[in-house]
Amino acid sequence: MTRFAYILAGGSSSRMGTDKLHLKLKGLSLLERIIETCASVCDDIKLVGNGVGINQSETFKVLSDYPHARGPMAGVISALEDCPEDICFITAADLIDITPQNLTDLFRLYRVEQFLGYSEDGLSQPLCGIYHKSALKVMLPMAERGNFKMQDAVGKLDTRLLPVPNKKWRNINTPRDAELSGVEL
């Protein structure tokens, strides 16, 4: 089976005040870091979103967000509709603690859940995990009703959650997040 990865990279970075995909951590942009991580485990990588920073990618196919949803759900739906396999790995581009081992573990531990992902402090991290295409049966009606909350979607799916690896899970949304994580502004 081909391993597909979809990187959600279409946010507006409004809380950051600048396009966070191009912020650097240890010499690589956040987008380069997550691409490198995914490439070490997955066979095919696509970017999802309507952001300016990714629309000009010559290396990766860029999918537009699903037009009848907003936020991350729009990207997840597009990824699931595009994926030719039953499952794919979907992640946000701004999660900086994901490692190749995390991805390897997810693919190894996956059974038949609609979502296999991570949980921290009792909350799921719906923007990093393996989704089954059957999750569309839940997400598309939610989007039609105007509910775009990924936490709600994961709560309705057949979900299995693993503890967050390395006891930390950071994503970069604000200048303070960047500062605390060593990301160059």
Side-chain angles (χ1 to χ4, degrees), residues 4-185:
F4 287 86
Y6 291 86
I7 299 171
L8 305 179
S12 63
S13 301
S14 58
R15 289 179 281 173
M16 182 61 70
T18 187
D19 185 355
K20 64 184 172 182
L21 296 180
H22 301 294
L23 298 178
K24 298 218 182 257
L25 178 62
K26 298 180 183 175
L28 293 175
S29 73
L30 297 185
L31 184 57
E32 290 167 335
R33 287 177 59 81
I34 193 65
I35 287 171
E36 187 176 275
T37 298
C38 290
S40 68
V41 176
C42 298
D43 306 300
D44 194 319
I45 300 169
K46 295 181 182 176
L47 307 178
V48 185
N50 301 322
V52 174
I54 64 165
N55 285 340
Q56 294 146 17
S57 175
E58 296 175 14
T59 308
F60 298 97
K61 181 175 179 185
V62 178
L63 305 174
S64 293
D65 284 338
Y66 178 72
H68 305 294
R70 289 194 312 258
M73 186 179 280
V76 172
I77 290 172
S78 281
L80 289 171
E81 287 186 332
D82 179 76
C83 187
E85 296 284 350
D86 284 341
I87 65 167
C88 61
F89 174 70
I90 300 175
T91 186
D94 63 354
L95 291 170
I96 63 172
D97 294 312
I98 301 171
T99 67
Q101 187 62 52
N102 301 144
L103 270 67
T104 299
D105 290 345
L106 282 172
F107 279 106
R108 180 178 51 80
L109 294 170
Y110 180 79
R111 300 294 175 258
V112 292
E113 306 88 355
Q114 288 177 304
F115 177 69
L116 173 64
Y118 293 108
S119 173
E120 180 178 31
D121 297 328
L123 291 175
S124 65
Q125 172 46 271
L127 301 184
C128 180
I130 295 179
Y131 280 88
H132 190 278
K133 284 184 84 84
S134 65
L136 285 170
K137 294 176 185 173
V138 170
M139 288 189 224
L140 288 170
M142 285 181 65
E144 286 176 20
R145 291 188 306 273
N147 182 352
F148 310 120
K149 295 177 183 172
M150 287 302 300
Q151 287 290 346
D152 290 354
V154 167
K156 294 176 191 277
L157 298 175
D158 171 27
T159 295
R160 184 161 56 110
L161 299 173
L162 307 172
V164 168
N166 308 323
K167 300 196 187 278
K168 62 180 178 178
W169 204 254
R170 298 172 294 173
N171 64 321
I172 307 301
N173 288 313
T174 66
R176 180 76 176 141
D177 294 339
E179 179 185 331
L180 291 173
S181 302
V183 173
E184 301 168 25
L185 291 173

